[in-house]
Amino acid sequence: MQKRPLTLIFITLLIDVIGIGIIIPILPPLIKSIAGIGLSEAAQWGGLLIFAYAAAQFLFAPVMGALSDKLGRRPVLIVALLGLGIDYILHAVAPTLGLLFVGRVLAGMCGASFTTASAYIADVSPPEKRAQNFGMIGVAFGVGFILGPVIGGFAGAAGPRVPFWIAAALSFANAALCYFMLPESLDKEHRRSFDWKRSNPFGSFAQMRNYPMVLGLMVPLFLLYLASHAVQSNWPFYTMYKFKWDEKMVGISLGIVGLMVAIVQGGLIRIIVPKLGEKKSILVGFGLYFVGMLLFALATNTWMMMSFIGIYTLGGICGPALQGIMAGQVPSNQQGELNGSVTSLMAITSIFGPLIMNNLFSYFTGEKAPLILPGAPMFLGAFLILLATIACIKPLRTIVNIPKENEAE
């Protein structure tokens, strides 16, 4: 496979992230307007919406991953993008919070775009290029979060539902792009049969027992994903509360986050990972995440918050290195299953992470708080990252790459 498929999958991911980024600054005002509640209560409902999405994704990601191993990556990716577009339309027309939950469940059921894209990248990448190519996902996130939140912040000035129509149009256009232009990456001789026993979260995790190092790395990965919700699920609530930002300022800040992520994933990672190696890149990345999380919690004004973004996003060097190592342990006809397992793992943290972090924020900013501490979720996140760093040391001691030709049945 040459560069064209990677370019197309990057464009697909970029459009997908722009759509996601568009709705982030406007979700708190939408929840407030529909339910007629304040920001602290809206944070709780925002956590529950993420919970609904993650629960559906936890159950269905292994199914979509296994289907991509049987049917190919392209059709599964198209279905995922169509489901996301329908979710955005439901948000755009929802008169009640109940319909928002219906949309989030549907999006979670179909939410395999990044799972399938990761398997696609593994299909077309030689082992020595996997970490760099997985960095494309980070670049897509970075550029998407430059454009998406800025678009959402300004479009939201016309009404809290306008950005959702824009996001829906992008998702449907993205599905059309995949249908007409994206080639299939998994040829028929490398596909495997669909097995319901392996196509559920528990069966999928059980299958990973055949790859002890992958299973071992899922523990620090779980802790890292859980910790990330201290920032990911709380950013608009935390910054609106502590620094009195409005929707436009949240959008601009996320644009800066996106710029830094794009610089790290698109440029620095291609220098740092080959120089340090994948193992050291993981450990250094965890350390930077830890420091960045603490600094976010301690920031007292806008310029400090903006300056600490660089340290936090530089921790992103660990992600592609982790993905590269894990992909190297699994044959090509199980890449979909591997990424389905990882997505389910991410979904578990997305079930509990927002509930823990958003409610922690709500509690320490509410009337009954023993002290006002909006950075409480970040302090917890830093502690979890410290545990993740310790947990990843043992499994990184042994790496055994699986040759592509040694396919598992």
Side-chain angles (χ1 to χ4, degrees):
M1 306 289 286
Q2 302 300 316
K3 290 184 178 180
R4 180 173 173 268
L6 284 173
T7 301
L8 288 170
I9 204 71
F10 170 76
I11 294 171
T12 299
L13 289 170
L14 175 61
I15 296 174
D16 201 12
V17 177
I18 289 173
I20 295 170
I22 282 173
I23 72 170
I24 289 177
I26 210 66
L27 193 57
L30 179 65
I31 295 172
K32 287 170 63 180
S33 67
I34 290 177
I37 55 179
L39 191 63
S40 290
E41 291 176 279
Q44 291 179 302
W45 282 107
L48 289 172
L49 284 168
I50 297 173
F51 171 89
Y53 174 85
Q57 190 175 59
F58 170 71
L59 295 173
F60 285 90
V63 176
M64 301 296 271
L67 285 173
S68 79
D69 284 339
K70 175 179 173 59
L71 303 175
R73 318 300 184 200
R74 181 172 166 273
V76 175
L77 188 57
I78 292 170
V79 169
L81 294 169
L82 291 173
L84 194 60
I86 294 171
D87 164 55
Y88 291 143
I89 289 177
L90 290 176
H91 276 68
V93 301
T96 64
L97 290 174
L99 197 56
L100 295 185
F101 279 96
V102 172
R104 288 286 80 193
V105 169
L106 175 63
M109 291 171 63
C110 297
S113 57
F114 286 94
T115 302
T116 310
S118 296
Y120 193 107
I121 292 170
D123 290 339
V124 301
S125 301
E128 68 275 9
K129 292 289 185 180
R130 278 189 181 130
Q132 292 96 317
N133 288 344
F134 278 127
M136 290 175 55
I137 298 176
V139 177
F141 263 102
V143 177
F145 274 104
I146 294 171
L147 301 175
V150 174
I151 294 170
F154 283 93
R161 298 178 187 270
V162 173
F164 292 97
W165 288 111
I166 298 173
L170 285 173
S171 291
F172 291 133
N174 208 3
L177 174 70
C178 290
Y179 182 81
F180 290 108
M181 298 188 66
L182 187 69
E184 179 55 60
S185 65
L186 187 66
D187 50 50
K188 291 184 178 180
E189 57 263 31
H190 288 115
R191 298 180 188 180
R192 65 178 179 88
S193 60
F194 183 86
D195 183 358
W196 278 109
K197 292 181 180 179
R198 293 169 58 173
S199 303
N200 63 80
F202 309 103
S204 182
F205 286 134
Q207 184 65 18
M208 291 300 108
R209 289 183 300 180
N210 295 326
Y211 310 102
M213 185 181 174
V214 171
L215 201 59
L217 286 175
M218 284 187 173
V219 175
L221 202 58
F222 171 83
L223 293 170
L224 179 63
Y225 285 149
L226 187 63
S228 71
H229 282 281
V231 174
Q232 182 179 323
S233 298
N234 270 305
W235 186 270
F237 301 105
Y238 177 72
T239 54
M240 286 178 175
Y241 178 89
K242 192 169 184 179
F243 309 114
K244 310 304 179 186
W245 291 0
D246 59 13
E247 293 91 332
K248 288 184 179 179
M249 190 62 196
V250 171
I252 291 169
S253 71
L254 289 173
I256 294 172
V257 171
L259 175 62
M260 293 305 303
V261 170
I263 291 171
V264 172
Q265 302 289 335
L268 295 181
I269 198 171
R270 297 177 182 274
I271 301 170
I272 295 173
V273 173
K275 188 174 183 65
L276 295 181
E278 290 178 330
K279 292 182 182 180
K280 287 184 179 179
S281 295
I282 291 169
L283 295 173
V284 171
F286 278 151
L288 289 166
Y289 272 141
F290 172 78
V291 173
M293 191 79 76
L294 281 180
L295 291 175
F296 281 154
L298 296 171
T300 57
N301 53 52
T302 292
W303 75 261
M304 291 177 69
M305 197 68 176
M306 293 296 190
S307 62
F308 296 154
I309 287 172
I311 297 172
Y312 183 79
T313 53
L314 193 56
I317 62 174
C318 71
L322 262 173
Q323 285 183 288
I325 287 177
M326 293 172 75
Q329 311 304 301
V330 178
S332 61
N333 65 351
Q334 292 184 29
Q335 292 294 330
E337 183 173 49
L338 167 64
N339 285 285
S341 298
V342 172
T343 301
S344 283
L345 189 73
M346 188 188 308
I348 294 173
T349 65
S350 295
I351 291 171
F352 296 107
L355 292 177
I356 295 170
M357 302 302 183
N358 287 44
N359 279 287
L360 195 62
F361 170 82
S362 181
Y363 176 73
F364 278 101
T365 57
E367 295 179 358
K368 297 181 180 180
L371 73 159
I372 301 300
L373 188 65
M378 280 80 168
F379 286 119
L380 176 58
F383 175 71
L384 292 173
I385 291 171
L386 181 62
L387 293 180
T389 307
I390 297 170
C392 75
I393 293 173
K394 183 177 179 180
L396 287 178
R397 288 176 180 169
T398 57
I399 299 177
V400 179
N401 288 318
I402 304 295
K404 185 174 180 178
E405 59 271 15
N406 294 346
E407 304 294 351
E409 296 298 330

